[in-house]
């Protein structure tokens, strides 16, 4: 029984020879595939790097202490700044976040914990809402806040941005809550803790790093949007802090100053674009650092 | 083929009292009658009648898919959280009808604790906070009570000596075996009458497993234990009573027989039980 049949020996030899031959071919294929991946990566990086490079090179000239501390000046008069737009963006986006994130995360918890027709419908609606053109959202805020009130306002801009942030917060929040293992739910339930309490004190806490990331993601998406602000905040040349008034914002400065024929205003637009870029980058980096830090247990 | 060699499974000193118990079976802590579980249209378990004796360890054994875990999870109403799951028949904890409409399932779960297959401490909480989580999240705030509960639960779980100096560190820093004992402590802190264990050592190494088994023998003095295990030797080593479940081609999961572990392993009444405990099926 230990003697191997002749046909089996032949087959073995054939298999080994063929393996040796194909080895070379597979090596080449591997190198080609790796090269293609590298090429794809370069193609993808080119626009990204050029945008950053262009914005930095054009924007850095506008940056100065005055740029961040003074109010805008009319075209031709040097020394203008964007402090009102910085503060405006902070107020508008901050208020939008306060409106959108808590609601978003509650919906996210619902979606993460419920299967069924209602959850699927909500998920579908949220996905559609995520694809809504920003300008449409601006029009919506115009219709429900600006028209009834009779004037443009920071509040209406916040409403528009909140609507924009909501689907992002919901979907990113759902993902964050879903990463909490089912084990943890069962562990809590089996201890005789009420479901709502398990959700609040155990699940949400475990999902916190993800929720922080989701928040910053939603905020950084909203902060760069100009379209929803066009007929809501509308922009302002003065230092406005009242929610009932028109307010300046960074993205509006980029838009309005960028389309002016005056070089100094165009420079302001580039400087503001760079400011936005840096803010978004800081938000992303800090969300990552914060998430990592929260994951590392310290008490 | 009746099992004289099976005797070697039993630790020599573990249950000298059990043999004498043959005639005096303790009153049931949990009684199930006609118990079945249905997931959607699929029946997973049916017609289980059984008493789980107070102050004893009962092992649920049987091949994969026979409904051991399904049975276990129906005792503390954990199926409530599974969409589409329906429990048929009745479960009584003492005189209390576990599935009565006026019963709050969270109260049942506080009285019937559970330890899962994989250690599942709350990852964001410290060792201390894990142990007292069942109390704290049910509204107990008094420091003194929490401290006492934490210490006694950790003592009972044989974990106090190794963690008492680092109660505020993350539960995730403990080894797998320690994490599982922490989960036992967490369940014990709520002072349950019954402790359900779903293959509690299947994710652990042999040393950690043997520690937990020793622990179970000590724990059963204070709490009734029902344990699901795939490991026949474990069932033989730790349990006083044993229930054999099976699923067959023409029959969903059901109870084949139950009784004293010694009897199930040495002279089972049903030939299928004998085939299973001697390793010929499953």
């Amino acid at each position: 029984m230990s003697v191997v049949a002749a046909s089996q020996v032949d087959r073995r030899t054939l298999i080994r020879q063929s393996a040796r031959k194909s080895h070379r071919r597979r090596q080449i294929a591997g190198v080609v595939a790796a090269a293609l991946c590298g090429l794809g990566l370069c193609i993808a990086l080119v626009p990204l790097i050029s945008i950053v490079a262009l914005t930095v090179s054009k924007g850095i000239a506008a940056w100065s202490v005055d740029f961040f501390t003074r109010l805008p000046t009319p075209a031709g008069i040097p020394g203008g700044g964007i402090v009102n737009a910085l503060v405006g963006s902070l107020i508008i986006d901050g208020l939008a976040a306060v409106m959108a994130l808590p609601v978003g995360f509650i919906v996210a918890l619902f979606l993460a914990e419920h299967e069924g027709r209602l959850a699927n419908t909500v998920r579908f609606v949220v996905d559609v809402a995520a694809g809504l053109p920003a300008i449409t959202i601006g029009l919506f805020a115009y219709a429900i806040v600006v028209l009834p009130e009779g004037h443009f306002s920071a509040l209406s801009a916040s409403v528009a941005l909140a609507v924009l942030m909501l689907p992002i917060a919901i979907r990113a929040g759902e993902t964050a809550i879903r990463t909490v293992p089912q084990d943890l739910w069962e562990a809590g339930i089996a201890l005789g803790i009420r479901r709502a309490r398990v959700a609040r004190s155990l699940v949400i806490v475990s999902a916190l790093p993800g929720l922080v990331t989701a928040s910053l993601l939603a905020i950084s998406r909203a902060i760069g949007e100009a379209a929803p602000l066009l007929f809501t905040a509308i922009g302002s040349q003065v230092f406005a802090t009242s929610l009932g008034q028109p307010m300046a914002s960074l993205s509006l400065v980029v838009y309005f100053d960028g389309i002016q024929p005056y070089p100094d205003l165009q420079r302001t637009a580039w400087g503001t674009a760079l400011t936005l870029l840096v803010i978004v980058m800081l938000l992303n980096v800090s969300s990552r650092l914060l998430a990592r830090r929260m994951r590392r247990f310290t008490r | 083929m009746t099992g004289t060699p099976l005797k070697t499974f039993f630790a020599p000193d573990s249950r000298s009292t059990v043999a004498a118990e043959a005639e005096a079976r303790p009153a049931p802590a949990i009684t199930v009658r006609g118990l079945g579980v249905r997931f959607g249209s699929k029946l997973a378990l049916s017609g289980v009648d059984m008493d789980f004796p107070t102050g004893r360890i009962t092992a649920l054994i049987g091949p994969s898919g026979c409904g051991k875990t399904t049975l276990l999870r129906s005792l503390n109403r954990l199926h409530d959280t599974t969409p589409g799951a329906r429990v048929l028949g009745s479960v009584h904890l003492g005189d209390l009808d576990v599935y009565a409409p006026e019963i709050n399932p969270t109260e049942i779960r506080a009285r019937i604790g559970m330890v899962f297959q994989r250690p599942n401490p709350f990852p964001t909480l410290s060792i201390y906070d894990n142990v007292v989580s069942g109390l704290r999240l049910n509204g107990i705030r008094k420091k003194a009570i929490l401290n006492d509960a934490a210490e006694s639960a950790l003592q009972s779980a044989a974990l106090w000596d190794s963690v008492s100096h680092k109660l505020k560190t993350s539960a995730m820093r403990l080894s797998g075996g320690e994490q599982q004992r922490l989960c036992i402590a967490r369940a014990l802190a709520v002072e349950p009458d019954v402790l359900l264990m779903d293959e509690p050592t299947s994710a652990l190494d042999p040393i950690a497993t043997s520690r937990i088994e020793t622990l179970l023998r000590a724990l059963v003095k204070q709490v009734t234990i029902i344990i699901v295990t795939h490991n026949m030797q474990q069932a033989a080593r730790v349990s006083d009573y044993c229930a054999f479940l099976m699923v067959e081609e023409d029959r969903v999961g059901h109870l084949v027989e139950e009784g004293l572990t010694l009897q199930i392993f040495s002279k089972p009444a049903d030939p299928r039980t004998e085939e299973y405990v001697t390793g010929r099926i499953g």
Side-chain angles (χ1 to χ4, degrees), chain B residues 36-47 86 88 251-253:
Chain B
V37 181
R38 180 187 287 290
F39 296 107
S41 59
K42 194 174 175 296
L43 199 61
L45 184 75
S46 86
R86 249 184 70 77
L88 320 159
R251 219 176 143 191
V252 297

Side-chain angles (χ1 to χ4, degrees), chain A residues 115 181 183-195 197-198 201-202 205-207 297-299, chain B residues 73 78 106 109-110 114 116 118 120 122-126 129 133 137-138 168-170 173 186-187 190:
Chain A
E115 304 291 333
D183 283 15
L184 203 137
W185 271 102
E186 288 198 331
I189 300 274
L191 279 173
I193 304 168
R194 281 177 301 115
R195 234 174 120 73
R197 198 68 218 253
V198 173
S201 299
L202 299 169
V205 171
S206 301
F297 185 93
T298 40
R299 218 186 160 89
Chain B
R73 290 163 73 94
L78 213 54
T106 61
R109 296 186 195 118
M114 186 157 187
F116 295 81
R118 289 158 53 88
N120 57 359
F122 300 124
T124 51
L125 300 186
S126 67
D129 289 339
S133 55
L137 297 184
N138 274 321
K168 297 288 168 190
T169 58
S170 167
R173 297 227 181 112
R186 183 176 65 186
V190 194

Side-chain angles (χ1 to χ4, degrees), chain B residues 17 96 99 122 125 132 150 157 169 190 195 199 209 214 229 232 235:
Chain B
T17 56
L96 196 68
Y99 282 91
F122 300 124
L125 300 186
V132 300
T169 58
V190 194
L195 190 58
E199 297 186 46
T209 299
T214 313
T229 176
M232 219 71 55

Side-chain angles (χ1 to χ4, degrees), chain B residues 1-10 265-267 274 278:
Chain B
M1 278 293 273
T2 31
T4 26
L6 288 166
K7 290 256 158 68
T8 55
F9 285 163
F10 297 95
F265 275 82
S266 54
K267 30 182 195 309
E274 184 179 339
T278 54

Side-chain angles (χ1 to χ4, degrees), chain B residues 97-164:
Chain B
D97 182 355
V98 168
Y99 282 91
E102 71 276 10
I103 292 289
N104 182 347
T106 61
E107 275 166 39
I108 294 295
R109 296 186 195 118
R111 292 185 58 185
I112 307 180
M114 186 157 187
V115 175
F116 295 81
Q117 196 166 353
R118 289 158 53 88
N120 57 359
F122 300 124
T124 51
L125 300 186
S126 67
I127 293 173
Y128 177 87
D129 289 339
N130 258 284
V131 178
V132 300
S133 55
L135 303 173
R136 199 180 258 165
L137 297 184
N138 274 321
I140 294 174
R141 294 257 167 273
K142 282 226 174 69
K143 260 245 135 76
I145 296 176
L146 294 178
N147 288 344
D148 283 354
E151 178 168 350
S152 81
L154 285 167
Q155 294 273 18
S156 301
L159 201 57
W160 177 254
D161 294 336
S162 52
V163 304
S164 59

Side-chain angles (χ1 to χ4, degrees), chain B residues 81-92:
Chain B
T81 62
T82 316
R86 249 184 70 77
V87 175
L88 320 159
S90 74
V91 177
H92 280 82

